[in-house]
Amino acid sequence: MLNVGLTGGIATGKSTVVRMLVKRGARVIDHDGLVHTLQEPGQPVWKRIIEAFGRDILDADERIDRKKLGALVFDDEQRRKELESIVHPAVLEEAQRLRDEIGRQDRQAIVLSDIPLLFEVAMQDLFDLILLIYAPPQVQILRVMKRNNLSREEAIARLKSQMPIDEKLRFADLVIRNDGTMRELEKSVDEVWQELVLRERAKRVQGSGSRV
């Protein structure tokens, strides 16, 4: 099994690329989705967050209001680390459980762990390789302005909340560039998929174990 860390930046088109790779046979573990699931009312993570941050962060349905919680940790590094210490280990444990389950079903699986802030939280060493979905910053800005109906200044502020995409580019093993036509994107996805298949085969031949 090949374990791939997949990441990108705001408005690079990561979701589109993930759908294309799934059509080609990839298995996906959505880390953002796991966060939402683990924070469902009654779950152990939900209980620990409430104990740490109080019930004022809940909405009328007892769900965690992400905006309220985010406001508490945005400018408070200590509280942000406290939240991360609750959420991150639980997400990693659940992701590992899902990988193990996939591995039992298909030893030749190519598993994409979709992690938007993969570099920001220094998780790159957990995977066999890192795949980056890339678009130049100016393209990101224009897409964010159009998608979210924001001014240029507001869009730039959104981008500044993440590591610059060109800096991420330096750490990636494989890159899918997404600033052209859909046909060009499909071609790039095809090429990367074939490379992932080759790497999975090579890993099996070598008999090397996963780093995850």
Side-chain angles (χ1 to χ4, degrees):
M1 190 168 70
L2 188 70
N3 290 301
V4 181
L6 183 144
T7 193
I10 295 172
T12 57
K14 183 165 59 65
S15 297
T16 300
V17 173
V18 167
R19 287 194 294 270
M20 291 179 176
L21 289 168
V22 168
K23 286 183 180 179
R24 288 158 174 79
R27 305 289 293 273
V28 177
I29 298 174
D30 178 2
H31 278 231
D32 266 2
L34 292 183
V35 171
H36 286 285
T37 300
L38 293 170
Q39 290 183 5
E40 285 290 313
Q43 293 292 325
V45 169
W46 177 88
K47 292 178 180 178
R48 290 188 62 196
I49 292 174
I50 301 311
E51 289 171 1
F53 295 92
R55 299 187 64 85
D56 287 343
I57 63 170
L58 298 179
D59 63 18
D61 296 320
E62 295 281 289
R63 296 181 179 277
I64 293 172
D65 186 318
R66 290 166 66 89
K67 288 186 178 179
K68 290 181 180 177
L69 180 58
L72 290 179
V73 303
F74 184 74
D75 284 324
D76 190 328
E77 185 176 0
Q78 184 175 345
R79 301 223 78 186
R80 178 177 57 79
K81 288 183 177 179
E82 183 179 10
L83 178 62
E84 290 173 351
S85 72
I86 297 171
V87 175
H88 287 177
V91 170
L92 290 176
E93 182 179 350
E94 179 63 11
Q96 184 62 57
R97 187 190 69 78
L98 292 173
R99 271 191 291 271
D100 290 343
E101 186 176 311
I102 292 170
R104 287 191 293 270
Q105 296 169 359
D106 181 6
R107 291 187 176 181
Q108 300 178 24
I110 295 173
V111 183
L112 308 176
S113 292
D114 182 351
I115 310 173
L117 300 179
L118 187 149
F119 293 119
E120 286 86 342
V121 295
M123 291 176 62
Q124 54 266 42
D125 290 339
L126 296 177
F127 301 97
D128 296 315
L129 60 95
I130 304 300
L131 170 59
L132 176 70
I133 314 308
Y134 176 86
Q138 290 305 315
V139 172
Q140 288 182 279
I141 292 168
L142 292 174
R143 287 176 178 171
V144 171
M145 290 171 63
K146 182 178 180 181
R147 184 184 69 187
N148 300 97
N149 193 27
L150 299 176
S151 69
R152 184 176 183 83
E153 291 72 23
E154 289 171 328
I156 290 172
R158 291 283 182 95
L159 263 64
K160 285 183 176 178
S161 69
Q162 295 185 355
M163 179 187 294
I165 193 71
D166 286 331
E167 189 173 340
K168 293 182 179 184
L169 192 61
R170 297 190 295 114
F171 299 112
D173 299 293
L174 295 173
V175 177
I176 292 177
R177 189 177 177 111
N178 182 21
D179 61 339
T181 65
M182 191 58 66
R183 179 175 294 183
E184 289 171 335
L185 180 59
E186 289 275 6
K187 183 175 182 293
S188 182
V189 169
D190 274 333
E191 291 171 353
V192 166
W193 177 248
Q194 292 305 315
E195 177 65 22
L196 292 175
V197 169
L198 290 174
R199 294 199 184 203
E200 189 282 323
R201 289 175 183 168
K203 183 179 176 182
R204 273 188 288 130
V205 169
Q206 294 169 1
S208 61
S210 170
R211 286 183 284 160
V212 177

